[in-house]
Amino acid sequence: MNNGWQGGRLSRRRFALALPLLGAVAWAPAGMARAAGPQRASRNLMGTRVDIVADGGDARQLQAAIGLAFEEMQRLEASLSRYREDSVVRRIGQAAGRHPVAVPPKVMDVLASAQRVWRESAGAFDPTVGALSGWHFEPGRQSMPASAEIAAALRHVDARQLQLDERAGTAYLAGRGMALDLGGIAKLPILAAGLRVLEREGVANALVNGGGDVLASGRLQGRPWRVGVRDPRAPDRLLGAIEVEGFGVVASSGDYERGFVHQGRRLHHVLDPHTGWPTTGVHGVALLARDVRAVNGWGTALMVQGMAAVPAWSARHPGVAVLAAGADGVLWRSDAMAKALKPVSI
């Protein structure tokens, strides 16, 4: 159960459900500032392309701030990736059933968020799903585990066994063979860390986009940022565009990010922690809010819970606009999302 990054390699996505609409804003080559106007740069992080746009100020200063933001995101990714031998998350798994592991505050924050969403989702989101390591969705190494292997791995999926001691600054997986996978909840905090660096450097107008998760602050050339939302049933068509100013986050999850077809069934990277198999029923989810905490992890959780759970979840979270597409082609949107989506064409 993760949100698309694996081993630092760029995953091939069919489309991202949410995408910034930036008009004629041009890219600046890496490490090179344009003469004036909004500054843009991109790098591969978390298995996807991360884009930053910064507006309002000296071009070289904006590019310097963008560089610092990427450095901060890379540092945090290095701690949170389960595919890096030297990551904190990997060390927690290696010490499972033996001893607690010291974790830095930013990692503790993500782990605490994962525990909270696990509780609030009744286990639909489970950060210990990393034990289901037999699934591989990357091009060239796509494979599925045998049923017996899935059953054996499921014995090690249980977030009740993740013990956090925030006072001591330690995390402990109580059962041997357990492993963490924070891909479904780590990307937004990493992107938010980059945005905070930009704010610290005096950049009031910025957008950070990572594979369909978009965070924006301020405005773009005096106008609201615009984020397009694709129709999951027809990726070349936009359902509409969301205007964001001040601060806003659009988080999207879907079965389109990484996967393959086996015996007529599409198998994808969002795993149900109860069954050990890819989720069914929900094709994609897009969430709009003013607070990262309000949406982080919930795209994955709703894909596990299924379309029937979406309206009730939306009613309990009135501050979040919700769009969900069922695998059967049914499209559901909250009143808030219907109001937020403005007509647009690509």
Side-chain angles (χ1 to χ4, degrees):
M1 176 185 62
N2 60 58
N3 215 20
W5 98 68
Q6 181 159 337
R9 296 186 298 276
L10 184 65
S11 61
R12 298 179 184 177
R13 298 164 182 251
R14 185 149 54 93
F15 68 99
L17 194 57
L19 71 161
L21 302 177
L22 299 171
V25 178
W27 285 106
M32 183 182 301
R34 293 186 296 111
Q39 299 297 300
R40 296 182 57 164
S42 65
R43 295 185 189 176
N44 292 340
L45 293 172
M46 302 173 285
T48 192
R49 193 180 84 173
V50 175
D51 308 321
I52 294 179
V53 184
D55 187 31
D58 175 80
R60 294 193 179 279
Q61 291 177 345
L62 290 175
Q63 282 290 332
I66 288 173
L68 292 173
F70 275 124
E71 289 175 8
E72 176 64 13
M73 288 189 287
Q74 287 173 322
R75 280 193 291 269
L76 193 50
E77 179 195 12
S79 294
L80 292 169
S81 173
R82 71 185 178 110
Y83 298 100
R84 294 179 60 115
E85 291 286 345
D86 59 346
S87 76
V88 176
V89 162
R90 190 66 172 267
R91 292 202 299 272
I92 295 170
Q94 292 168 341
R98 297 190 293 118
H99 60 79
V101 173
V103 300
K106 290 182 179 179
V107 175
M108 182 64 77
D109 288 344
V110 176
L111 292 171
S113 293
Q115 264 194 348
R116 176 179 57 83
V117 176
W118 169 74
R119 289 193 301 268
E120 294 178 2
S121 69
F125 179 92
D126 193 314
T128 67
V129 79
L132 292 163
S133 58
W135 290 99
H136 298 285
F137 299 99
E138 293 304 301
R141 63 185 302 244
Q142 296 168 337
S143 63
M144 58 183 290
S147 296
E149 184 180 350
I150 294 174
L154 280 174
R155 292 198 290 269
H156 304 294
V157 177
D158 183 0
R160 291 174 298 182
Q161 302 298 312
L162 173 60
Q163 301 173 9
L164 303 181
D165 187 333
E166 297 191 43
R167 179 173 296 180
T170 62
Y172 177 50
L173 288 171
R176 288 183 179 267
M178 297 187 73
L180 293 173
D181 180 354
L182 301 178
I185 203 164
K187 186 164 65 165
L188 279 177
I190 290 173
L191 299 177
L195 190 61
R196 285 194 298 272
V197 169
L198 293 169
E199 293 171 347
R200 183 195 71 199
E201 295 300 309
V203 180
N205 306 296
L207 177 144
V208 183
N209 170 44
D213 289 329
V214 182
L215 285 76
S217 64
R219 296 159 69 87
L220 174 63
Q221 297 187 303
R223 298 184 298 275
W225 298 95
R226 296 170 72 241
V227 179
V229 177
R230 294 188 188 272
D231 186 338
R233 302 161 300 184
D236 59 343
R237 185 175 69 212
L238 287 182
L239 290 171
I242 296 168
E243 293 187 345
V244 177
E245 57 183 321
F247 178 82
V249 52
V250 182
S252 63
S253 300
D255 65 9
Y256 45 78
E257 296 184 43
R258 289 189 296 122
F260 57 91
V261 176
H262 175 74
Q263 296 181 348
R265 175 184 174 184
R266 177 166 175 77
L267 302 173
H268 59 89
H269 72 286
V270 182
L271 302 178
D272 184 333
H274 304 116
T275 68
W277 284 81
T279 61
T280 59
V282 180
H283 184 42
V285 177
L287 305 172
L288 165 67
R290 294 285 184 182
D291 178 15
V292 168
R293 177 185 169 93
V295 298
N296 195 24
W298 281 106
T300 295
L302 289 172
M303 290 190 67
V304 172
Q305 292 178 337
M307 286 292 289
V310 173
W313 185 89
S314 179
R316 294 194 304 272
H317 298 80
V320 181
V322 183
L323 169 75
D328 57 1
V330 172
L331 194 66
W332 188 91
R333 70 188 84 183
S334 66
D335 290 342
M337 182 62 80
K339 293 176 181 176
L341 283 172
K342 310 297 183 184
V344 70
S345 60
I346 294 181

